[in-house]
């Protein structure tokens, strides 16, 4: 069952995992971060940018603001010009997701939104959309994890049961 407590746990997990990604991606030289690795969004930075843009898009729907980022899926790999800009925006987005999750009181009902992928308005159960929001993050971080591993970086553990307790 999807509850506000589950959403808060997943927001904490998202922030923990993204802190590790920021550390690991920022440690790469620019050429490694932007090299085309044959992934759907080409590079490590391209995939990081896509994940960031999607998080911002979903946050604009779920939290009723901030405004959705411009562009669509095809342009998402270019949301930020470099790793430093991505890292700053990633950190701010993690904070916004955590604040939204902490304020969430209800996961019931449908959420109407406009789907760029489908090209139309939809309404889906909030629990389904919340599951998609966090599941998609894990999927794309897995892609980034694989690309980082190929560079010789050893990302930290990704197992939910080993997430550090809040301070």
């Amino acid at each position: 069952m999807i509850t506000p407590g589950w959403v808060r746990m997943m927001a904490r997990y998202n922030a923990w995992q993204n802190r590790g990604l920021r550390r690991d991606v920022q440690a790469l030289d620019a050429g490694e971060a932007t090299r085309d690795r044959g992934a759907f969004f080409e590079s490590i930075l391209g995939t990081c940018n896509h994940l960031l843009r999607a998080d911002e898009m979903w946050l604009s729907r779920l939290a009723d603001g901030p405004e959705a980022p411009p562009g669509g899926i095809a342009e998402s790999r270019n949301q930020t010009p470099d790793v430093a800009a991505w890292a700053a925006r990633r950190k701010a987005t993690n904070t916004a997701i955590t604040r939204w999750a902490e304020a969430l009181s209800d996961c019931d009902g449908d959420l109407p939104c406009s789907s760029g992928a489908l090209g139309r308005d939809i309404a889906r159960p909030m629990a389904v959309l919340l599951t998609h929001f966090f599941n998609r993050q894990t999927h794309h971080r897995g892609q980034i994890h694989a690309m980082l591993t190929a560079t010789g970086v050893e990302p930290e553990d990704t197992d939910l049961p080993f997430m550090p307790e809040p301070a």
Side-chain angles (χ1 to χ4, degrees):
M1 177 175 255
I2 306 303
T3 65
W6 179 84
V7 170
R8 285 188 278 281
M9 177 187 67
M10 293 307 294
R12 275 188 43 238
Y13 177 75
N14 176 63
W16 171 50
Q17 290 299 299
N18 284 330
R19 276 191 302 276
L21 278 186
R22 281 196 338 267
R23 180 197 61 237
D24 293 343
V25 173
Q26 287 178 297
L28 297 172
D29 68 48
E32 284 295 313
T34 58
R35 192 177 92 193
D36 188 337
R37 297 176 183 280
F40 189 82
F41 296 101
E42 297 172 357
S43 66
I44 291 170
L45 181 58
T47 306
C48 287
N49 271 328
H50 170 73
L51 176 55
L52 173 65
R53 186 202 178 276
D55 280 355
E56 291 172 342
M57 177 60 71
W58 278 104
L59 191 59
S60 76
R61 294 167 175 160
L62 295 166
D64 198 23
E67 190 172 319
I73 293 171
E75 300 88 14
S76 65
R77 71 186 63 151
N78 300 314
Q79 288 297 300
T80 64
D82 56 39
V83 169
W86 165 79
R89 206 158 131 189
R90 177 75 266 173
K91 185 176 181 179
T93 301
N94 290 346
T95 299
I97 291 169
T98 299
R99 286 186 181 144
W100 160 77
E102 288 171 355
L104 186 68
S105 61
D106 187 3
C107 301
D108 296 327
D110 285 355
L111 177 71
C113 60
S114 178
S115 169
L118 295 176
R120 61 184 169 88
D121 291 340
I122 63 168
R124 298 289 188 272
M126 181 73 133
V128 169
L129 296 177
L130 291 170
T131 301
H132 171 72
F133 178 59
F134 291 112
N135 189 55
R136 179 197 44 73
Q137 293 168 346
T138 300
H139 164 71
H140 288 303
R141 278 194 305 266
Q143 293 172 319
I144 297 163
H145 189 282
M147 289 186 279
L148 284 169
T149 301
T151 71
V153 171
E154 293 183 32
E156 69 180 283
D157 201 339
T158 61
D159 294 337
L160 181 63
F162 306 135
M163 177 173 55
E165 291 297 320

